[in-house]
Amino acid sequence: MEQLGAVFADRLGLADVRMQEPPRVEELDLRAPRVAPPASLEAVFSAGLYDRAAHTYGRSFRDLVRAFRRDYAHAPDLVAFPRDEGELVSVLDWCGDAGVAAIPFGGGSSVVGGVEPDVGDGYRGAVSVDLRNLNGVLEVDRTSLAARIAGGTLGPALEAELKPHGLTLRHFPQSFEWSTLGGWIATRSGGHFATLHTHIDEFVEAVRVVTPRGVLQTRRLPASGAGPSPERLFCGSEGTLGVITEAWVRVQRRPRFRAGASVSFADFRDAVQAVTEIAQSGLNPANCRLLGHDEALMSGSGDGSRSILVLGFESADHELDPWLARALEICGSHRGEVHGGGSDPAATWRAAFLRGGYLRDGLIRLGLISETFETAVTWDRFWEFHEGVLAATRQAVREVCGGGVVSCRFAYVYPDGPAPYYSVYAPGRPGQELRQWDEIKVAAAEAIAALGGTITHHHAVGRDHRRWYLREVPGLFADALRGVKAELDPSGIMNPGVLLEPGAVSRGSEGGRR
């Protein structure tokens, strides 16, 4: 922490930074639970101080700042730990009958307010439903290269159980250690691949979901043209329609062949042109992350004088030198220079990426404003979009923080456009961090919306992005989503305030139970 503080104080031109101590459970003053579980479910629920505190927040800037302030005003009244699907059904039954909100909780890594039990005043209480007991690789189909996996399975456990079969899901979001398969599907998580198969959606064959109206199981098929796809209804549903308990997902043989390189560009525009051509070439590199000048500096991958492209190919089947050679040929035609000798920028960036969540927590503990936001836009609009978002965000950072750094990288690239990922580093003022964050967040989000980008490419909507999400989607679609929620969740208990406004479904509306 001291080293981190010294490095960022230097990068931001600060005299020093202050270190905050994290809260201890015995310091917390949580309100008494407003509801009690029925006797038949007492073994499933906890009202313990630690469990309730640990399920109050995810990992957003707002979450962490309030945690450091010992503000746990929206702690859940109870935490449920169902041990099987039957108990989960019973928990949701009770919540619906009792008028209690149910918040699905996987690894708790949401950075958009997706797991905070801030549900408004229309409920008798709130329960965080922890899926940790519904875990494990349940079945492997080596013939079809697919696996049936429980929704509460954390990333490391999932990969560890597939490894003896010589298989991998190969979906590594930055939250990999502390996120689950069900959470990835519910939030349309972005993973390992920078091109082609970037979202978890593309690996999902079928899902099993417990809704307040009953259990729904979609068919397992390689593809179908039979109307709208049922499983896609739950990809991105963010716990508002039910709880994803299992999924059949496409897996692959573990890669044996790899080829990669780091390419530097003096001009960011040259780098963007090279990446555009690679994205449209059909080469489909596994890694194609472009770090802008400031991003290279802040990640320690460069000195800030050049942009860096991290290129990588992998396969379980064949050597990859021709693919890499062609990609490097494209880079060379746009004045890119292949890194040779010394420390490898790609390795430095990869290490920084894997530490990213911990780094962000550390910066907030040091009282700094540290935020990331990501989006996607088509290539034809990129430059106007990029310059507008940078200008609006940098102006907000100057006005509310007195200075700071706003950097950019391409997290994913497609033939029709990139997914730019922006990071903000700025000095925070004691007691004013949330106001500072909010002004920067609003400035960036308004610019994204005005310039035609999506409010989120892979971080999900949650509560933080809801107002921009409802502006982004067609009004008729939002109405249709409310109709689906009314059918599957007639009492409106599932994660109120996420995607849709609280009370989007009247708790008094009619609707049959199982």
Side-chain angles (χ1 to χ4, degrees):
M1 286 298 298
E2 291 177 359
Q3 183 182 16
L4 182 65
V7 167
F8 274 82
D10 179 65
R11 289 178 183 172
L12 296 175
L14 305 176
D16 56 20
V17 292
R18 65 191 187 284
M19 191 185 303
Q20 305 175 80
E21 290 303 316
R24 300 188 303 276
V25 173
E26 55 270 22
E27 296 178 280
L28 304 181
D29 182 19
L30 274 58
R31 69 182 175 195
R34 295 167 292 180
V35 292
S40 60
L41 290 173
E42 279 186 356
V44 176
F45 284 90
S46 169
L49 190 63
Y50 176 84
D51 286 334
R52 293 177 63 205
H55 290 77
T56 301
Y57 291 127
R59 311 302 295 180
S60 75
F61 181 87
R62 289 184 69 248
D63 291 345
L64 293 170
V65 169
R66 287 178 294 163
F68 278 115
R69 292 180 180 179
R70 283 62 171 168
D71 175 5
Y72 283 75
H74 295 133
D77 297 277
L78 300 167
V79 180
F81 297 93
R83 292 164 292 190
D84 54 38
E85 190 176 273
E87 288 187 342
L88 174 60
V89 169
S90 297
V91 167
L92 295 190
D93 274 352
W94 173 73
C95 287
D97 292 338
V100 173
I103 319 297
F105 190 100
S109 60
S110 169
V111 293
V112 292
V115 298
E116 181 186 358
D118 182 6
V119 300
D121 300 324
Y123 301 86
R124 290 182 55 215
V127 168
S128 182
V129 183
D130 190 304
L131 280 302
R132 68 180 60 183
N133 295 321
L134 279 66
N135 69 82
V137 174
L138 308 175
E139 189 175 349
V140 174
D141 176 354
R142 293 182 58 85
T143 303
S144 309
L145 288 183
R148 181 168 66 95
I149 303 174
T153 311
L154 288 166
L158 183 155
E159 286 293 333
E161 292 187 46
L162 288 176
K163 188 173 184 178
H165 299 277
L167 300 173
T168 174
L169 178 58
R170 207 115 187 96
H171 185 80
F172 299 126
Q174 198 170 35
S175 61
F176 173 74
E177 288 182 274
W178 301 105
S179 54
T180 63
L181 176 66
W184 298 342
I185 297 171
T187 60
R188 300 187 69 192
S189 160
H192 168 71
F193 295 99
T195 70
L196 197 62
H197 303 303
T198 60
H199 279 85
I200 190 65
D201 316 30
E202 291 145 319
F203 299 101
V204 175
E205 271 192 340
V207 294
R208 184 174 176 86
V209 185
V210 173
T211 80
R213 282 287 304 279
V215 179
L216 185 153
Q217 170 74 60
T218 71
R219 291 188 66 192
R220 182 186 165 216
L221 295 164
S224 172
S229 176
E231 62 273 4
R232 291 300 180 265
L233 177 63
F234 299 98
C235 292
S237 59
E238 300 192 29
T240 62
L241 304 178
V243 179
I244 298 168
T245 57
E246 294 180 11
W248 273 99
V249 292
R250 299 175 180 92
V251 295
Q252 56 200 287
R253 296 182 179 89
R254 298 174 68 83
R256 296 186 298 129
F257 304 97
R258 292 180 176 84
S262 301
V263 185
S264 62
F265 296 83
D267 189 327
F268 184 61
R269 284 183 175 268
D270 286 339
V272 171
Q273 290 176 345
V275 170
T276 304
E277 191 171 338
I278 291 171
Q280 295 173 346
S281 68
L283 291 169
N284 298 325
N287 206 351
C288 190
R289 265 89 184 189
L290 174 60
L291 318 179
H293 287 47
D294 288 333
E295 179 72 18
L297 174 65
M298 298 305 286
S299 66
S301 305
D303 61 8
S305 66
R306 304 174 75 85
S307 293
I308 297 173
L309 175 61
V310 180
L311 267 176
F313 293 84
E314 61 182 44
S315 172
D317 178 73
H318 53 265
E319 296 282 358
L320 294 156
D321 291 344
W323 281 260
L324 178 61
R326 175 56 188 147
L328 294 179
E329 185 179 26
I330 291 172
C331 292
S333 70
H334 296 284
R335 291 177 284 279
E337 298 178 3
V338 179
H339 175 80
S343 61
D344 180 10
T348 302
W349 176 81
R350 185 165 52 248
F353 175 82
L354 294 172
R355 292 196 305 265
Y358 302 97
L359 173 68
R360 189 164 173 268
D361 288 4
L363 294 178
I364 295 171
R365 186 179 171 189
L366 291 167
L368 300 176
I369 307 297
S370 175
E371 177 63 316
T372 60
F373 57 95
E374 27 66 68
T375 180
V377 69
T378 51
W379 290 117
D380 64 312
R381 290 181 292 161
F382 170 70
W383 284 110
E384 178 187 7
F385 176 87
H386 175 66
E387 290 166 358
V389 170
L390 275 184
T393 308
R394 285 172 173 166
Q395 180 178 342
V397 168
R398 285 193 300 270
E399 289 178 355
V400 303
C401 300
V405 174
V406 182
S407 65
C408 176
R409 73 171 184 263
F410 286 177
Y412 304 89
V413 291
Y414 306 94
D416 47 348
Y421 190 111
Y422 298 91
S423 297
V424 176
Y425 307 94
R429 287 193 288 273
Q432 300 297 312
E433 296 95 344
L434 290 180
R435 182 189 64 79
Q436 291 176 287
W437 172 87
D438 191 58
E439 291 188 30
I440 296 168
K441 181 76 170 179
V442 168
E446 288 293 331
I448 287 171
L451 293 166
T454 177
I455 193 59
T456 178
H457 173 269
H458 58 270
H459 279 174
V461 175
R463 292 169 178 82
D464 292 354
H465 291 154
R466 185 184 68 228
R467 55 174 150 164
W468 293 286
Y469 169 73
L470 290 175
R471 283 164 49 184
E472 177 177 326
V473 298
L476 279 176
F477 176 84
D479 288 342
L481 184 57
R482 293 183 185 97
V484 170
K485 184 170 176 64
E487 181 65 28
L488 296 178
D489 179 22
S491 297
I493 61 169
M494 298 304 304
N495 218 1
V498 168
L499 291 184
L500 299 169
E501 59 283 338
V505 174
S506 168
R507 285 187 43 244
S509 63
E510 296 182 359
R513 305 286 296 241
R514 277 175 318 284

